[in-house]
Each structure stands twice: as C-alpha cells, then as structure tokens.
Amino acid sequence: MRLNLKYIFLFLTTGVLIVAGIIFLVAYKRILWPNTVTGNEEFIYFNIPTGSDYSDVMHIITSEGILKDTVSFSWVAQKKKYPSHVKPGHYKISRSMNNNEIVNMLRSGRQASVKVIINSTRSLEKMASVVSSQLEADSAGIMKLLRDPQYLAGLELTPETAIGIIIPNTYEFFWNTDADKFIRRMKIEYENFWNKDRLEKAEEIGLSPMEVITLASIVDEETLMKDEERKIAGVYINRLKKPMRLQACPTIKFVTGDWTMTRVLDKYLFIDSPYNTYRHDGLPPGPIIIPSISCIDAVLDYEHHDWLFFAAKEDFSGYHNFAKTLAQHNRNADLYQKALDQRKIMN
C-alpha cells in the first residue's frame, strides 16, 4: 500500500511539474519570445497619432503587419494595463523585441526622434509642406499660425517677420509635434542661432537680427555663387549707409510672385508695395525668402569695398559685374540686356 501511495505521489508530482512547465513555456512565449516582423530590416517604425486609443493601436499593428502574433501581444498589453496608457508617437521596433519590451516602450511613450531637414526656400508654404511630411503637424495648421497676428505677437513676431525665424538646418523632433510646438521650437532655435558673436556683428553694422536676415534673403536671391555673397552684401550695406534705395530686383519678383522673371520691366517698378525697394527707402518689412545660413553670415561679414552697383555678366556665368558709378553700371547692364536680346529672352 505504501508503495502504491509512493507511485501515486510521484505520478501526481510529475504531472504537476509537466503542467507547470507547459504553463511556464506558454507564458514565456507570450512575454519573452521575439514577436516582430521586420523583413530584411533590422528596424522598422510606425506612428501612433495623437488621440488614438487601444483599438486604434491594435488596428495599426494589425494592418501594418508589425507582429507575428497579435493575440499574445494583446494578452501582455492587457496584463500591463497598456489600454489605459496609450501615448502617441513615432516608435522604433527592432527584430529581436518581445511583447514585454514592446508594451513597456509603448506604455512609457519612449518614442524615437525624427530628423527634419529645413532648407532655404522661397515660401513658407513649401517649408510647411516639407515639415508636415515628416511630423504630425499639418501644413495648414502651421500656415494658419504663421499668418495669425495675435498668435505671432505673443512671440514678438509679425506675419512679415515670422519667416525670419526659420533657420535652415537639420533638427530632431518628436513625430507628434503639433504646429504650435514646431513654431515655438523654431523661435528657440532662432534665438540660439543669434549667439554673442553674431549679435555683436549685427550691432556693428547697425542692423537688428531680423534686419540681417531680411537683407540676407535679398542677397540669397541675387546670386548662386557662394564667393559673391559677401561682395553683394557689401553693395547693399554701402547703399544703406549712403543712404540709397536698395533697388533690389528680387523684391520686385517677390511683389509680383514671379520668381522666373529674367527681365524686371519698368512697369513693375511702380507697384505700390512696402516690399518694392525701388519705391521705398531701406529694407522691406521682412524677409522675402528663407535665406541660407551662408548668406546670413555673408551679411554679417560683408566685404568692405566702394561698389554701389552690380549687374549680371553677359556671359551668363552666374557672376556679376560690379561698378562704383551709375554710368559704369548702366554700361554693364546694357551688355547684359543685349545678351538677353541675342538669346531672345524677353521676360
């Protein structure tokens, strides 16, 4: 009888251990086995939009085929109370991640940053479009705030100067950055850009940081040649000191909206706009484009010379002929106009 009891006990103990082992393996698989589908990539990314709930997350995960087993993921998510802690963001999934790691990452909102590249461009609309293609903020929302006088006043900006705080560079953002946070971040980056050295140089030439950027936006449109930027900046500084009107052709292109214009005809010079530097003294009320950093620094480090005029070279090299007198400038301009005539370029 004792022998039988011993075998029964041994049998029951073995059975319990087997069942426990099965339960452990099932739990281990659910929690700690890799459960991602990354294809040939070491990492993949997916976004959880602002306002999403748990059902939205499960729909995204299922539709994008991110996991091998959504049932086990859901089990772990429920156990760790993730459904009540959904956070938006841009999340990085690696090939080796298990359900426990994925849920912990999503629950804590530990998202990956996004690199946003902003280049020199002629319009805020294009900049907003580029940004909205990389962040959750939509271009319409960005543009609405950049045109809102009341909103901008809180940032010590106007609709005319708002474009000036956009400094071309590569920035890191969280994907779920909205329009307001984007603009405020750009204001901070603008203030950081104006370090002590740049501020001192701006003060030396008698311009505010925004005025420097405004002049840089004109210089940027005047030449494609980096080695001419400081020289052209020097021409405009000389005119401001005279004082002379800037008479900058890019401001006419800005007023008309025609950036393809090759000939600036006399009829355009009489357009009544504060941006028309042929009719108004000094700088326009704000930048006409988002200028490059090199042009901003070219204004701050402008070349000291006596030139007051420049005209595009007649060889269409992209360079300019510079002059100290109006008579010489007119001769240079005539050479360029004749070259345009020969090529039958009328506008």
Side-chain angles (χ1 to χ4, degrees):
M1 185 66 179
R2 289 182 179 177
L3 188 60
N4 289 339
L5 288 173
K6 182 178 180 180
Y7 282 116
I8 292 172
F9 177 76
L10 182 61
F11 176 78
L12 291 174
T13 302
T14 302
V16 169
L17 290 174
I18 291 173
V19 171
I22 292 172
I23 292 173
F24 173 79
L25 287 174
V26 170
Y28 181 85
K29 182 177 180 180
R30 282 183 172 179
I31 300 172
L32 300 175
W33 277 16
N35 189 33
T36 59
V37 179
T38 62
N40 296 324
E41 304 296 327
E42 184 66 30
F43 303 100
I44 58 172
Y45 297 86
F46 76 101
N47 300 324
I48 299 177
T50 298
S52 297
D53 58 20
Y54 179 64
S55 63
D56 295 322
V57 174
M58 290 306 298
H59 175 72
I60 294 168
I61 287 174
T62 302
S63 62
E64 296 190 15
I66 294 168
L67 302 180
K68 298 175 186 175
D69 178 12
T70 56
V71 174
S72 64
F73 170 82
S74 184
W75 182 84
V76 175
Q78 296 287 348
K79 293 296 181 184
K80 305 199 82 158
K81 296 181 172 51
Y82 172 59
S84 59
H85 294 86
V86 173
K87 293 180 174 64
H90 177 70
Y91 293 97
K92 178 180 179 180
I93 301 290
S94 70
R95 183 181 298 168
S96 61
M97 289 182 79
N98 57 50
N99 287 328
N100 189 57
E101 292 170 329
I102 298 169
V103 171
N104 284 345
M105 176 184 68
L106 298 179
R107 192 178 187 277
S108 65
R110 193 172 68 251
Q111 61 175 304
S113 61
V114 176
K115 286 187 177 181
V116 176
I117 300 173
I118 299 177
N119 294 315
S120 173
T121 184
R122 286 173 173 163
S123 74
L124 277 174
E125 288 84 358
K126 184 175 180 180
M127 179 279 301
S129 176
V130 169
V131 170
S132 66
S133 70
Q134 300 171 79
L135 299 179
E136 189 176 28
D138 65 83
S139 58
I142 294 172
M143 289 307 304
K144 181 180 179 181
L145 293 182
L146 288 174
R147 288 171 172 160
D148 183 343
Q150 186 174 355
Y151 171 80
L152 293 172
L155 297 174
E156 299 180 324
L157 297 169
T158 66
E160 293 76 26
T161 60
I163 189 173
I165 66 170
I166 311 297
I167 305 296
N169 214 329
T170 299
Y171 301 96
E172 285 198 4
F173 284 89
F174 285 129
W175 173 79
N176 56 313
T177 298
D178 62 19
D180 173 58
K181 289 180 180 177
F182 168 74
I183 294 170
R184 291 182 184 279
R185 167 72 181 281
M186 288 295 94
K187 181 70 186 309
I188 291 171
E189 295 293 344
Y190 167 81
E191 291 168 352
N192 291 339
F193 175 81
W194 284 98
N195 55 32
K196 182 180 178 182
D197 181 54
R198 287 191 173 102
L199 287 173
E200 287 177 351
K201 288 178 179 179
E203 187 175 0
E204 284 176 10
I205 60 178
L207 298 178
S208 70
M210 190 59 70
E211 288 173 330
V212 170
I213 289 180
T214 299
L215 183 51
S217 72
I218 296 173
V219 173
D220 207 331
E221 279 296 322
E222 288 286 18
T223 183
L224 296 174
M225 306 304 177
K226 296 292 182 186
D227 54 344
E228 269 197 346
E229 290 173 349
R230 293 180 59 247
K231 192 177 295 185
I232 288 178
V235 170
Y236 284 125
I237 294 293
N238 288 344
R239 289 186 183 183
L240 288 172
K241 288 179 178 179
K242 277 288 183 185
M244 288 174 58
R245 287 182 179 170
L246 294 183
Q247 296 186 328
C249 291
T251 63
I252 301 300
K253 294 180 181 181
F254 174 82
V255 169
T256 62
D258 183 3
W259 291 102
T260 65
M261 190 186 302
T262 303
R263 292 179 184 262
V264 177
L265 303 179
D266 288 345
K267 64 179 181 179
Y268 297 132
L269 305 184
F270 298 97
I271 297 175
D272 187 15
S273 167
Y275 286 88
N276 184 345
T277 55
Y278 281 83
R279 290 196 63 177
H280 296 280
D281 297 334
L283 292 162
I288 59 174
I289 67 165
I290 297 174
S292 65
I293 290 178
S294 67
C295 278
I296 297 172
D297 286 335
V299 172
L300 294 173
D301 293 309
Y302 72 93
E303 185 175 311
H304 294 257
H305 52 60
D306 297 326
W307 290 312
L308 290 170
F309 307 93
F310 60 91
K313 281 193 171 183
E314 64 279 9
D315 60 3
F316 295 94
S317 63
Y319 284 96
H320 294 80
N321 288 314
F322 291 81
K324 296 179 182 179
T325 66
L326 180 58
Q328 181 60 56
H329 170 65
N330 287 338
R331 287 193 289 271
N332 292 336
D334 189 53
L335 290 173
Y336 181 64
Q337 295 299 325
K338 287 179 179 178
L340 289 175
D341 291 339
Q342 289 175 356
R343 298 196 180 196
K344 299 185 178 355
I345 299 174
M346 297 295 112
N347 52 39

